């Protein structure tokens, strides 16, 4: 599931940074989102069955509950990626594009993507308390970046910037931050 979400993030990044790929990458994201929904349902059903086995003790049930939460968080992240793709499409097709704004969006999305890669590594190899604290710091940086980018956008609006474009920009930034929250939710459960 994590690998498929990473494919979604890569498709999002490509749609922002490479001209002419929007339609193809949007189809890919929608397909992957449906596929991940099916995976989530199957995995959750399997984990619930495992937790009900007569041999499952309290520790096992807690472990399965954590895995169900992680599965749910990854599925929620896929939902956010799909929603973000639709918002990016609106922004890129209805606005006069500004290279600086595109760079800000792609850099911000890439920071969340790298954070997700780290969390996937923690999921596979385990996570230390220090790494969890580092995750909190990264999540706070993602939140701070959202505030800075939204503030700059509001200033552009105040200075007679294109309101429609800036509102789409703010929506993109907000959804990237929500994706970062989903990633942080995963690290809390690992």
């Amino acid at each position: 599931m994590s690998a498929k979400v990473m494919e979604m993030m890569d498709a999002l990044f490509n749609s922002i940074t490479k001209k002419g790929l929007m339609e193809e990458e949007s189809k890919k994201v929608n397909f992957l989102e449906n596929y991940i929904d099916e995976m989530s349902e199957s995995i959750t059903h399997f984990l619930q069955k495992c937790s009900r086995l007569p041999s499952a003790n309290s520790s096992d049930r807690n472990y399965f509950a954590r895995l169900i939460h992680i599965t749910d968080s990854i599925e929620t992240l896929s939902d956010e990626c799909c929603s973000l793709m639709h918002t990016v499409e609106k922004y890129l097709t209805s606005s006069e594009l500004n290279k600086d704004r595109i760079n800000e969006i792609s850099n911000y999305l890439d920071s969340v993507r790298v954070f997700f890669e780290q969390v996937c590594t923690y999921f596979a190899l385990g996570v230390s308390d220090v790494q969890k604290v580092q995750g909190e710091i990264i999540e706070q940086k993602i939140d701070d970046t959202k505030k800075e980018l939204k503030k700059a956008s509001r200033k552009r609006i105040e200075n007679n910037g294109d309101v429609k474009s800036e509102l789409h920009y703010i929506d993109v930034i907000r959804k990237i931050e929500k994706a970062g929250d989903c990633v942080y939710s995963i690290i809390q459960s690992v």
Side-chain angles (χ1 to χ4, degrees), residues 4 12-13 19 21 34 52 54 63 78 85 96 122 127 138-139 150 152 156 176:
K4 295 299 179 190
L12 267 163
F13 190 79
K19 291 185 179 190
L21 291 181
N34 289 326
R52 289 188 213 117
Y63 179 70
S78 78
M85 177 57 93
E96 190 173 306
Y122 298 155
V127 62
I138 293 169
E139 201 276 334
K150 283 178 69 175
R156 288 190 296 272
I176 293 172

Side-chain angles (χ1 to χ4, degrees), residues 36-189:
I36 290 167
D37 285 347
E38 291 173 16
M39 288 178 76
S40 175
E41 186 177 325
S42 295
I43 291 168
T44 300
H45 182 70
F46 173 76
L47 291 170
Q48 287 172 336
K49 277 185 170 182
C50 290
S51 70
R52 289 188 213 117
L53 289 172
S55 61
N57 61 30
S58 167
S59 176
D60 293 334
R61 284 189 286 280
N62 286 336
Y63 179 70
F64 293 131
R66 277 191 11 237
L67 291 176
I68 289 170
H69 182 267
I70 290 168
T71 301
D72 182 58
S73 294
I74 293 171
E75 192 280 326
T76 302
L77 179 57
S78 78
D79 292 342
E80 289 300 330
C81 287
C82 191
S83 176
L84 178 57
M85 177 57 93
H86 296 298
T87 305
V88 164
E89 282 180 291
K90 282 183 197 174
Y91 177 69
L92 294 178
T93 58
S94 69
S95 305
E96 190 173 306
L97 299 181
N98 179 299
K99 189 175 182 177
D100 291 337
R101 300 300 85 71
I102 299 298
N103 286 337
E104 290 167 355
I105 290 170
S106 62
N107 289 339
Y108 191 38
L109 178 62
D110 195 48
S111 68
V112 172
R113 189 185 63 76
V114 169
F115 185 32
F116 183 57
E117 280 182 330
Q118 288 176 327
V119 170
C120 289
T121 302
Y122 298 155
F123 183 64
L125 302 175
V127 62
S128 69
D129 290 337
V130 170
Q131 290 167 324
K132 281 190 177 191
V133 170
Q134 289 172 337
E136 289 176 30
I137 293 168
I138 293 169
E139 201 276 334
Q140 186 59 52
K141 285 180 183 177
I142 290 169
D143 290 350
D144 292 344
T145 300
K146 178 191 90 171
K147 290 175 188 172
E148 290 170 19
L149 295 174
K150 283 178 69 175
K151 183 178 178 181
S153 182
R154 284 192 299 269
K155 282 186 180 181
R156 288 190 296 272
I157 291 172
E158 290 170 6
N159 292 324
N160 298 319
D162 180 9
V163 174
K164 185 177 181 179
S165 176
E166 292 301 331
L167 291 177
H168 284 303
Y169 174 84
I170 289 171
D171 205 21
V172 169
I173 297 305
R174 185 180 55 80
K175 289 185 181 195
I176 293 172
E177 189 271 335
K178 283 181 74 177
D181 289 345
C182 291
V183 175
Y184 183 63
S185 176
I186 296 166
I187 197 172
Q188 290 177 310
S189 298

